[in-house]
Amino acid sequence: MGRGKIVTVASGKGGTMKTGLVIVLSAVLAGRGYRTAVIDADPNQSFARWFRTAYEGPSVTCTSEISQEEIVHHALAQADCHDVVLIDTAGFGNQTAGMAIGVADVVLIPCMPDRSSIAEAVKTARQTSSFARVRGRDIPARVIRTRWNPKGLAERAATEDLEQEKLTTLVQHMSVSADVAKISFTGVVPSGCRTAIEAEAVIAELIGLRVLPGKPMARRAAA
């Protein structure tokens, strides 16, 4: 079986829903039968703490690695035995996050509807492009709009700015929802909640872009 896909969630701005996105994507992927791993590369260890104390759901492998010298080796080792590896990075620019971008098969850049989020999205997209050049391979970067109300005035202005910056944005957004806050306490990602439904649509987009496998490797091997 081949190596799994590495998805790095990155932005230099804190509070953009990086960890929340990793929480929901990992649970939904695991629920669909994907062998799923999460690497918490944030020194704050928000995902790892939540996973150890609260998570109740399908099997997910959770490890921590904040060392810039070790993150690439660790991510590749996890990809050797999982279908999808999600890397949750720090909410500030650091070298470990940069190395996590460099090893990724796709980089998701959460962006809220404000100017500072857009500025950080631009910086992260450019950083991804630089790593892709150094490594001599394509590393797709996709902005995912978070805490987003499509009918909001700020969101309309932010959409214009994203288009002006020529950033590639996923069609599906993650809305303003209380679901993530609830999940942080309950440890359960209900399959019918709005956030899980939106995560399903994000996964479908990534499969369509061929940066995620269409089905778990074990199923493909058995077919």
Side-chain angles (χ1 to χ4, degrees), residues 2 7 10-11 22 24 40 50 68 70 81 92 106 118 124 127 133 192 194 213 222:
V7 181
S11 169
V22 171
V24 179
D40 195 337
W50 170 83
Q68 69 187 62
E70 298 296 332
C81 53
F92 51 88
V106 62
I118 293 168
T124 304
Q127 186 179 19
R133 281 189 167 190
R194 177 189 294 182

PDB file of all heavy atoms in Angstrom, residues 2 7 10-11 22 24 40 50 68 70 81 92 106 118 124 127 133 192 194 213 222:
ATOM      1  N   GLY A   2       0.403   2.325  -0.638  1.00  0.00           N
ATOM      2  CA  GLY A   2       1.191   3.537  -0.736  1.00  0.00           C
ATOM      3  C   GLY A   2       1.093   4.388   0.515  1.00  0.00           C
ATOM      4  O   GLY A   2       0.387   4.077   1.466  1.00  0.00           O
ATOM      5  N   VAL A   7      -1.980  16.450   5.410  1.00  0.00           N
ATOM      6  CA  VAL A   7      -2.719  17.715   5.313  1.00  0.00           C
ATOM      7  C   VAL A   7      -2.261  18.608   6.461  1.00  0.00           C
ATOM      8  O   VAL A   7      -2.512  18.300   7.636  1.00  0.00           O
ATOM      9  CB  VAL A   7      -4.239  17.485   5.409  1.00  0.00           C
ATOM     10  CG1 VAL A   7      -4.987  18.815   5.279  1.00  0.00           C
ATOM     11  CG2 VAL A   7      -4.706  16.493   4.343  1.00  0.00           C
ATOM     12  N   ALA A  10      -2.507  25.462   8.526  1.00  0.00           N
ATOM     13  CA  ALA A  10      -1.531  26.475   8.924  1.00  0.00           C
ATOM     14  C   ALA A  10      -2.029  27.896   8.696  1.00  0.00           C
ATOM     15  O   ALA A  10      -2.702  28.183   7.705  1.00  0.00           O
ATOM     16  CB  ALA A  10      -0.217  26.274   8.154  1.00  0.00           C
ATOM     17  N   SER A  11      -1.684  28.747   9.629  1.00  0.00           N
ATOM     18  CA  SER A  11      -1.883  30.187   9.520  1.00  0.00           C
ATOM     19  C   SER A  11      -1.097  30.827  10.648  1.00  0.00           C
ATOM     20  O   SER A  11      -1.086  30.302  11.765  1.00  0.00           O
ATOM     21  CB  SER A  11      -3.359  30.583   9.634  1.00  0.00           C
ATOM     22  OG  SER A  11      -3.495  31.986   9.781  1.00  0.00           O
ATOM     23  N   VAL A  22      -9.193  20.773  12.569  1.00  0.00           N
ATOM     24  CA  VAL A  22      -8.535  19.469  12.689  1.00  0.00           C
ATOM     25  C   VAL A  22      -9.403  18.504  13.501  1.00  0.00           C
ATOM     26  O   VAL A  22      -9.533  17.325  13.151  1.00  0.00           O
ATOM     27  CB  VAL A  22      -7.136  19.625  13.328  1.00  0.00           C
ATOM     28  CG1 VAL A  22      -6.529  18.261  13.651  1.00  0.00           C
ATOM     29  CG2 VAL A  22      -6.214  20.398  12.397  1.00  0.00           C
ATOM     30  N   VAL A  24     -12.699  18.402  13.782  1.00  0.00           N
ATOM     31  CA  VAL A  24     -13.863  17.930  13.039  1.00  0.00           C
ATOM     32  C   VAL A  24     -13.445  17.072  11.850  1.00  0.00           C
ATOM     33  O   VAL A  24     -14.024  16.002  11.607  1.00  0.00           O
ATOM     34  CB  VAL A  24     -14.730  19.120  12.578  1.00  0.00           C
ATOM     35  CG1 VAL A  24     -15.928  18.631  11.780  1.00  0.00           C
ATOM     36  CG2 VAL A  24     -15.205  19.922  13.777  1.00  0.00           C
ATOM     37  N   ASP A  40      -0.056  16.964  16.666  1.00  0.00           N
ATOM     38  CA  ASP A  40      -0.165  18.293  17.261  1.00  0.00           C
ATOM     39  C   ASP A  40       1.223  18.910  17.293  1.00  0.00           C
ATOM     40  O   ASP A  40       2.068  18.526  18.103  1.00  0.00           O
ATOM     41  CB  ASP A  40      -0.756  18.197  18.668  1.00  0.00           C
ATOM     42  CG  ASP A  40      -1.220  19.551  19.183  1.00  0.00           C
ATOM     43  OD1 ASP A  40      -0.708  20.568  18.692  1.00  0.00           O
ATOM     44  OD2 ASP A  40      -2.098  19.580  20.067  1.00  0.00           O
ATOM     45  N   TRP A  50      -7.230  18.124  24.297  1.00  0.00           N
ATOM     46  CA  TRP A  50      -8.637  17.789  24.085  1.00  0.00           C
ATOM     47  C   TRP A  50      -8.798  16.293  23.804  1.00  0.00           C
ATOM     48  O   TRP A  50      -9.689  15.644  24.352  1.00  0.00           O
ATOM     49  CB  TRP A  50      -9.177  18.606  22.906  1.00  0.00           C
ATOM     50  CG  TRP A  50     -10.532  18.171  22.449  1.00  0.00           C
ATOM     51  CD1 TRP A  50     -11.740  18.528  22.984  1.00  0.00           C
ATOM     52  CD2 TRP A  50     -10.830  17.277  21.368  1.00  0.00           C
ATOM     53  NE1 TRP A  50     -12.766  17.916  22.310  1.00  0.00           N
ATOM     54  CE2 TRP A  50     -12.239  17.141  21.313  1.00  0.00           C
ATOM     55  CE3 TRP A  50     -10.046  16.595  20.438  1.00  0.00           C
ATOM     56  CZ2 TRP A  50     -12.875  16.340  20.363  1.00  0.00           C
ATOM     57  CZ3 TRP A  50     -10.676  15.801  19.500  1.00  0.00           C
ATOM     58  CH2 TRP A  50     -12.077  15.670  19.456  1.00  0.00           C
ATOM     59  N   GLN A  68      11.288  21.148  15.134  1.00  0.00           N
ATOM     60  CA  GLN A  68      11.481  21.375  13.700  1.00  0.00           C
ATOM     61  C   GLN A  68      12.394  20.327  13.085  1.00  0.00           C
ATOM     62  O   GLN A  68      12.285  20.015  11.886  1.00  0.00           O
ATOM     63  CB  GLN A  68      12.066  22.771  13.459  1.00  0.00           C
ATOM     64  CG  GLN A  68      13.496  22.930  13.947  1.00  0.00           C
ATOM     65  CD  GLN A  68      13.993  24.344  13.847  1.00  0.00           C
ATOM     66  OE1 GLN A  68      13.439  25.250  14.486  1.00  0.00           O
ATOM     67  NE2 GLN A  68      15.012  24.559  13.041  1.00  0.00           N
ATOM     68  N   GLU A  70      12.373  17.143  13.865  1.00  0.00           N
ATOM     69  CA  GLU A  70      11.730  15.834  13.854  1.00  0.00           C
ATOM     70  C   GLU A  70      10.400  15.785  13.117  1.00  0.00           C
ATOM     71  O   GLU A  70       9.925  14.707  12.781  1.00  0.00           O
ATOM     72  CB  GLU A  70      11.512  15.353  15.292  1.00  0.00           C
ATOM     73  CG  GLU A  70      12.786  15.167  16.104  1.00  0.00           C
ATOM     74  CD  GLU A  70      13.676  14.075  15.524  1.00  0.00           C
ATOM     75  OE1 GLU A  70      13.149  13.140  14.878  1.00  0.00           O
ATOM     76  OE2 GLU A  70      14.904  14.160  15.711  1.00  0.00           O
ATOM     77  N   CYS A  81       1.584   4.517   7.695  1.00  0.00           N
ATOM     78  CA  CYS A  81       0.636   3.572   8.278  1.00  0.00           C
ATOM     79  C   CYS A  81      -0.758   4.170   8.483  1.00  0.00           C
ATOM     80  O   CYS A  81      -1.575   3.613   9.226  1.00  0.00           O
ATOM     81  CB  CYS A  81       1.169   3.017   9.604  1.00  0.00           C
ATOM     82  SG  CYS A  81       1.653   4.267  10.804  1.00  0.00           S
ATOM     83  N   PHE A  92       1.240  31.050  15.297  1.00  0.00           N
ATOM     84  CA  PHE A  92       2.238  32.097  15.083  1.00  0.00           C
ATOM     85  C   PHE A  92       3.324  31.496  14.203  1.00  0.00           C
ATOM     86  O   PHE A  92       3.472  30.277  14.139  1.00  0.00           O
ATOM     87  CB  PHE A  92       2.829  32.578  16.418  1.00  0.00           C
ATOM     88  CG  PHE A  92       3.318  31.465  17.307  1.00  0.00           C
ATOM     89  CD1 PHE A  92       4.606  30.974  17.194  1.00  0.00           C
ATOM     90  CD2 PHE A  92       2.472  30.885  18.238  1.00  0.00           C
ATOM     91  CE1 PHE A  92       5.049  29.932  17.996  1.00  0.00           C
ATOM     92  CE2 PHE A  92       2.909  29.837  19.055  1.00  0.00           C
ATOM     93  CZ  PHE A  92       4.196  29.372  18.936  1.00  0.00           C
ATOM     94  N   VAL A 106      -1.076  18.807   0.881  1.00  0.00           N
ATOM     95  CA  VAL A 106      -1.937  19.969   0.692  1.00  0.00           C
ATOM     96  C   VAL A 106      -1.892  20.783   1.981  1.00  0.00           C
ATOM     97  O   VAL A 106      -1.781  20.229   3.079  1.00  0.00           O
ATOM     98  CB  VAL A 106      -3.390  19.562   0.347  1.00  0.00           C
ATOM     99  CG1 VAL A 106      -4.028  18.756   1.459  1.00  0.00           C
ATOM    100  CG2 VAL A 106      -4.242  20.788   0.018  1.00  0.00           C
ATOM    101  N   ILE A 118      -6.661  37.725   6.323  1.00  0.00           N
ATOM    102  CA  ILE A 118      -6.336  37.670   4.896  1.00  0.00           C
ATOM    103  C   ILE A 118      -4.844  37.897   4.686  1.00  0.00           C
ATOM    104  O   ILE A 118      -4.200  37.204   3.886  1.00  0.00           O
ATOM    105  CB  ILE A 118      -7.173  38.710   4.120  1.00  0.00           C
ATOM    106  CG1 ILE A 118      -8.649  38.308   4.160  1.00  0.00           C
ATOM    107  CG2 ILE A 118      -6.694  38.815   2.675  1.00  0.00           C
ATOM    108  CD1 ILE A 118      -9.581  39.383   3.682  1.00  0.00           C
ATOM    109  N   THR A 124       1.027  32.796   4.277  1.00  0.00           N
ATOM    110  CA  THR A 124       1.117  31.341   4.338  1.00  0.00           C
ATOM    111  C   THR A 124       1.113  30.731   2.939  1.00  0.00           C
ATOM    112  O   THR A 124       1.849  29.774   2.660  1.00  0.00           O
ATOM    113  CB  THR A 124      -0.043  30.770   5.173  1.00  0.00           C
ATOM    114  OG1 THR A 124      -0.033  31.364   6.464  1.00  0.00           O
ATOM    115  CG2 THR A 124       0.087  29.259   5.323  1.00  0.00           C
ATOM    116  N   GLN A 127       4.518  31.298   1.521  1.00  0.00           N
ATOM    117  CA  GLN A 127       5.465  30.387   2.165  1.00  0.00           C
ATOM    118  C   GLN A 127       5.337  28.987   1.563  1.00  0.00           C
ATOM    119  O   GLN A 127       6.342  28.313   1.307  1.00  0.00           O
ATOM    120  CB  GLN A 127       5.201  30.351   3.667  1.00  0.00           C
ATOM    121  CG  GLN A 127       6.229  29.551   4.460  1.00  0.00           C
ATOM    122  CD  GLN A 127       5.950  29.569   5.953  1.00  0.00           C
ATOM    123  OE1 GLN A 127       4.830  29.865   6.380  1.00  0.00           O
ATOM    124  NE2 GLN A 127       6.948  29.262   6.757  1.00  0.00           N
ATOM    125  N   ARG A 133       8.879  25.236  -4.324  1.00  0.00           N
ATOM    126  CA  ARG A 133      10.016  25.461  -5.234  1.00  0.00           C
ATOM    127  C   ARG A 133      11.269  24.773  -4.722  1.00  0.00           C
ATOM    128  O   ARG A 133      11.995  24.134  -5.491  1.00  0.00           O
ATOM    129  CB  ARG A 133      10.280  26.966  -5.373  1.00  0.00           C
ATOM    130  CG  ARG A 133       9.345  27.681  -6.310  1.00  0.00           C
ATOM    131  CD  ARG A 133       9.831  29.091  -6.552  1.00  0.00           C
ATOM    132  NE  ARG A 133       9.143  29.706  -7.662  1.00  0.00           N
ATOM    133  CZ  ARG A 133       9.509  30.864  -8.202  1.00  0.00           C
ATOM    134  NH1 ARG A 133      10.554  31.506  -7.714  1.00  0.00           N
ATOM    135  NH2 ARG A 133       8.841  31.373  -9.208  1.00  0.00           N
ATOM    136  N   GLY A 192     -24.741  14.556  12.383  1.00  0.00           N
ATOM    137  CA  GLY A 192     -25.737  15.406  11.746  1.00  0.00           C
ATOM    138  C   GLY A 192     -25.592  16.887  12.032  1.00  0.00           C
ATOM    139  O   GLY A 192     -26.384  17.688  11.520  1.00  0.00           O
ATOM    140  N   ARG A 194     -24.185  20.780  11.949  1.00  0.00           N
ATOM    141  CA  ARG A 194     -23.810  21.601  10.799  1.00  0.00           C
ATOM    142  C   ARG A 194     -22.317  21.534  10.513  1.00  0.00           C
ATOM    143  O   ARG A 194     -21.898  21.409   9.360  1.00  0.00           O
ATOM    144  CB  ARG A 194     -24.202  23.068  11.043  1.00  0.00           C
ATOM    145  CG  ARG A 194     -23.769  23.997   9.909  1.00  0.00           C
ATOM    146  CD  ARG A 194     -23.949  25.459  10.241  1.00  0.00           C
ATOM    147  NE  ARG A 194     -25.346  25.806  10.382  1.00  0.00           N
ATOM    148  CZ  ARG A 194     -25.761  27.051  10.637  1.00  0.00           C
ATOM    149  NH1 ARG A 194     -24.872  28.014  10.818  1.00  0.00           N
ATOM    150  NH2 ARG A 194     -27.044  27.309  10.732  1.00  0.00           N
ATOM    151  N   PRO A 213      -7.305  10.585  -0.691  1.00  0.00           N
ATOM    152  CA  PRO A 213      -7.745   9.365  -1.377  1.00  0.00           C
ATOM    153  C   PRO A 213      -9.263   9.265  -1.389  1.00  0.00           C
ATOM    154  O   PRO A 213      -9.935   9.667  -0.433  1.00  0.00           O
ATOM    155  CB  PRO A 213      -7.115   8.241  -0.540  1.00  0.00           C
ATOM    156  CG  PRO A 213      -6.860   8.850   0.800  1.00  0.00           C
ATOM    157  CD  PRO A 213      -6.566  10.291   0.557  1.00  0.00           C
ATOM    158  N   ALA A 222      -8.619  -4.232  -0.948  1.00  0.00           N
ATOM    159  CA  ALA A 222      -9.538  -5.353  -0.981  1.00  0.00           C
ATOM    160  C   ALA A 222     -10.358  -5.402  -2.256  1.00  0.00           C
ATOM    161  O   ALA A 222     -10.908  -6.435  -2.614  1.00  0.00           O
ATOM    162  CB  ALA A 222     -10.468  -5.300   0.232  1.00  0.00           C
TER     163      ALA A 222
END
